[in-house]
């Protein structure tokens, strides 16, 4: 019986330490501001599949995206604003409302080589659009 209690105690302690590690990581990523909750569709699948909860932050000309449930200190995706060629929005369809944060809109960002799908609040979208437009004139390209 004592061994079972020891195993349960170690598992509980590991779970608590993991939660603390996630909280510390999020705090560290948010330290300079410019962060917002943002889901990302990691794989091109049917609506509602392939999404991961995350956190995005602005760092200069880059938008960095991090998974929420990861201990990695580096971003999973980095999008430079010069890569962005167009942004369209839509409401979540299918299972998307179940796998993204409540109240988020889907943002389809056209990059030079592919399309990336984000889910964020309307306020965060306004910030992303302002960030895109605030690039220095010499770095903006018009087609």
């Amino acid at each position: 019986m004592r061994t079972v209690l020891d195993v349960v105690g170690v598992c509980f302690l590991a779970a608590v330490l993991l939660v603390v590690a996630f909280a510390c990581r999020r705090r560290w990523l948010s330290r300079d501001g410019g962060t917002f909750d943002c889901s990302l569709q990691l794989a091109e699948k049917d609506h509602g599949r392939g999404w991961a909860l995350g956190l995005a932050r602005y760092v200069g000309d880059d938008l960095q995206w991090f998974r929420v449930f990861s201990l990695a200190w580096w971003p999973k995706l980095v999008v430079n604003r010069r890569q962005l060629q167009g942004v369209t929005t839509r409401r979540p369809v299918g299972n998307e409302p179940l796998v993204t944060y409540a109240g988020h809109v889907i943002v389809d960002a056209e990059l030079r080589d592919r399309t990336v799908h984000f889910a964020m609040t309307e306020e965060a979208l306004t910030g992303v659009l302002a960030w895109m437009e605030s690039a220095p004139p010499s770095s903006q390209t018009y087609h």
Side-chain angles (χ1 to χ4, degrees):
M1 182 68 169
R2 180 167 169 90
T3 305
V4 172
L5 290 177
D6 288 344
V7 169
V8 169
V10 168
C11 290
F12 179 75
L13 181 62
V16 168
L17 290 176
L18 191 60
V19 169
V20 169
F22 285 143
C24 289
R25 177 179 169 268
R26 184 176 177 107
R27 177 91 173 171
W28 180 80
L29 292 172
S30 303
R31 72 190 181 283
D32 294 329
T35 59
F36 56 95
D37 290 327
C38 178
S39 299
L40 173 69
Q41 190 174 25
L42 295 174
E44 286 290 326
K45 297 187 177 187
D46 295 334
H47 295 296
R49 308 235 8 217
W51 285 91
L53 298 177
L55 175 75
R57 72 175 178 182
Y58 304 106
V59 178
D61 284 341
D62 294 330
L63 181 67
Q64 299 176 340
W65 183 83
F66 299 84
R67 282 178 176 259
V68 167
F69 299 110
S70 171
L71 294 177
W73 295 97
W74 52 90
K76 174 82 173 167
L77 175 73
V78 177
V79 175
N80 187 286
R81 74 170 126 204
R82 291 180 191 94
Q83 292 176 309
L84 288 166
Q85 296 181 339
V87 171
T88 58
T89 62
R90 62 183 171 80
R91 294 285 169 206
V93 295
N95 289 335
E96 288 175 337
L98 302 173
V99 296
T100 60
Y101 293 112
H104 282 197
V105 295
I106 307 300
V107 177
D108 301 322
E110 297 291 329
L111 304 180
R112 289 187 181 132
D113 58 343
R114 63 189 166 133
T115 300
V116 179
H117 307 282
F118 295 101
M120 61 185 75
T121 63
E122 298 271 354
E123 294 81 12
L125 174 60
T126 301
V128 168
L129 295 174
W131 171 77
M132 285 174 56
E133 293 175 5
S134 69
S138 62
S139 69
Q140 292 179 348
T141 57
Y142 297 97
H143 301 282

